[in-house]
């Protein structure tokens, strides 16, 4: 596995997003299957594992600790605060965005306990809480660095302007945002800001939430709790339009001598040494396929055709619905 840099950490060029094991796309996988995926990733040279307080409302952090604690010195551990499950009083946890310093401190303490570790290597603010100045939230994270509870600070789903404000309080080691052929918003401004500040860019959903993987997704049979059900790009009319992109896309993958997933990941890796995709999967087979993308070479001509095929103008539908769009701080195409 080839390596890339996040601050002082040399990590695998492709990391593992652990969310899928506990959250977002239906029922969690079995503990045995999750362990198989995590340990296979480690065995294959993955050294960046990404989790969050939100995923499974803490269950994903607990799962990661159970499997990975004996191997803690072999990988860089990333988690997130600022968006978590809160009990409003009826015993049912609901997702809440809360970037107040006191909440960040408590969430970190809870994460350290669940992760069974003394320090989190990279700790993101999962969402900027727009009711709280970004300087206040990052100030609380900076205090956690000084206390030795986290080593570096990251931000997720923020604009270039917010990143620059945050960076005046404390260096931002990484920005994590959705980035793939079909979500190109980071190219508007935040990628350039990251490069000016020496901030790594971690790309989540790099295979377009499964759209750029092999056979077309059966959206009609998505699990009731699958978050893609609320995403416009998977709604019937938009999805029908997007499906028309796949035959040409699969032909380009065949020309490149790789799988569709590998093509999507290789495209990201070719965008710059500062970009680190973190695909998630519940399948060892898919994991191994994803990791092989580090060896895929794409020439300039194929890259040009790929980018002309799938981009913000050819993809139908927004990436989020109105509510979710209101919660992020990323730039949007005019």
């Amino acid at each position: 596995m080839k390596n890339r840099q996040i601050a002082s950490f040399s990590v695998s060029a492709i990391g593992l997003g652990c969310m899928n094991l506990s959250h977002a796309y239906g029922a969690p996988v079995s503990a045995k299957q999750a362990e198989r995926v995590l340990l296979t990733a480690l065995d294959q040279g993955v050294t960046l594992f990404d989790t969050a307080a939100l995923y499974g409302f803490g269950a994903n952090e607990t799962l990661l600790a159970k499997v990975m604690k004996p191997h803690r010195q072999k990988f860089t551990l990333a988690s997130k605060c600022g968006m978590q499950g809160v009990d409003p009083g009826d015993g049912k946890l609901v997702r809440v965005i809360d970037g107040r310093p006191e909440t960040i401190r408590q969430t970190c303490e809870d994460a350290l306990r669940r992760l069974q570790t003394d320090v989190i290597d990279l700790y993101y603010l999962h969402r900027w809480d727009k009711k709280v100045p970004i300087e206040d939230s990052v100030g609380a994270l900076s205090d956690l660095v000084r206390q030795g509870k986290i080593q570096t600070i990251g931000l997720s789903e923020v604009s270039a302007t917010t990143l620059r404000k945050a960076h005046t309080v404390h260096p931002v080691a990484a920005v994590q945002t959705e980035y793939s052929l079909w979500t190109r918003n980071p190219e508007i401004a935040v990628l350039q800001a990251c490069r000016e500040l020496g901030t790594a860019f971690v790309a989540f959903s790099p295979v377009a939430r499964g759209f750029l993987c092999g056979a077309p997704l059966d959206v009609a049979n998505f699990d009731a709790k699958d978050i893609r059900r609320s995403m416009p790009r998977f709604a019937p009319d938009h999805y029908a339009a997007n499906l028309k992109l796949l035959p040409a896309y699969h032909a380009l993958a065949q020309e490149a001598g790789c799988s569709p997933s590998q093509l999507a990941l290789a495209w990201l890796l070719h965008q710059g040494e500062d970009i680190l995709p973190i695909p998630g999967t519940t399948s060892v087979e898919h994991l191994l396929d994803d990791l092989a993308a580090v060896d895929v070479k794409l020439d300039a001509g194929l890259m040009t055709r790929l980018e002309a095929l799938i981009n913000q103008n050819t993809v139908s539908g927004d990436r989020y619905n109105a509510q979710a769009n209101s919660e992020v701080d990323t730039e949007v195409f005019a």
Side-chain angles (χ1 to χ4, degrees), residues 29-294:
V29 299
S30 69
K32 183 177 181 180
Q33 179 63 12
E35 180 177 12
R36 188 179 302 128
V37 170
L38 291 168
L39 293 182
T40 299
L42 190 67
D43 185 59
Q44 293 295 313
V46 174
T47 57
L48 176 62
F49 289 79
D50 182 276
T51 183
L54 177 69
Y55 303 158
F57 295 142
N60 197 247
E61 289 179 326
T62 300
L63 167 67
L64 204 61
K66 183 178 180 181
V67 176
M68 303 294 283
K69 184 178 179 181
H71 312 285
R72 181 65 184 89
Q73 300 307 311
K74 298 179 181 179
F75 67 93
T76 296
L77 173 62
S79 192
K80 308 178 194 72
C81 63
M83 187 160 61
Q84 58 272 329
V86 173
D87 183 353
D90 60 3
K92 296 180 180 179
L93 295 177
V94 296
R95 184 181 70 104
V96 171
I97 296 174
D98 186 346
R100 293 175 298 170
E102 59 269 30
T103 303
I104 288 172
R105 289 190 290 270
Q106 185 58 58
T107 306
C108 182
E109 293 296 337
D110 294 341
L112 290 169
R113 173 179 48 79
R114 287 192 294 259
L115 289 163
Q116 298 182 46
T117 188
D118 295 327
V119 61
I120 298 168
D121 301 318
L122 172 58
Y123 205 43
Y124 293 95
L125 185 67
H126 206 159
R127 290 289 186 277
W128 171 35
D129 180 351
K130 297 174 184 178
K131 301 184 298 296
V132 179
I134 189 64
E135 294 88 346
D136 291 357
S137 296
V138 173
L141 291 168
S142 183
D143 289 342
L144 293 174
V145 173
R146 283 191 289 272
Q147 294 164 15
K149 294 178 179 180
I150 67 175
Q151 294 205 55
T152 58
I153 292 171
L155 301 175
S156 180
E157 296 274 33
V158 296
S159 65
T161 298
T162 301
L163 168 60
R164 294 181 193 283
K165 287 180 180 179
H167 200 79
T168 64
V169 177
H170 192 280
V172 178
V175 165
Q176 181 177 145
T177 295
E178 183 175 355
Y179 187 29
S180 69
L181 278 161
W182 88 337
T183 297
R184 308 285 280 278
N185 303 65
E187 297 172 359
I188 299 171
V190 78
L191 278 178
Q192 182 59 37
C194 284
R195 285 166 177 159
E196 292 173 7
L197 298 173
T199 299
F201 188 92
V202 176
F204 76 76
S205 297
V207 292
R209 300 188 183 275
F211 178 74
L212 297 176
C213 299
L217 298 167
D218 183 2
V219 297
N221 288 317
F222 279 166
D223 186 273
K225 294 183 178 180
D226 194 314
I227 61 173
R228 292 172 293 186
R229 284 187 171 274
S230 68
M231 295 178 175
R233 290 177 182 176
F234 294 99
D237 289 349
H238 289 305
Y239 192 63
N242 291 328
L243 283 176
K244 296 176 182 178
L245 300 171
L246 287 183
Y249 177 74
H250 289 167
L252 288 174
Q254 187 173 20
E255 181 180 336
C258 65
S259 71
S261 297
Q262 289 167 358
L263 182 61
L265 292 166
W267 177 81
L268 274 170
L269 292 170
H270 280 65
Q271 298 308 306
E273 290 291 321
D274 55 336
I275 294 177
L276 300 94
I278 52 166
T281 184
T282 60
S283 161
V284 168
E285 179 184 2
H286 291 165
L287 170 67
L288 296 175
D289 183 72
D290 288 346
L291 298 181
V294 295

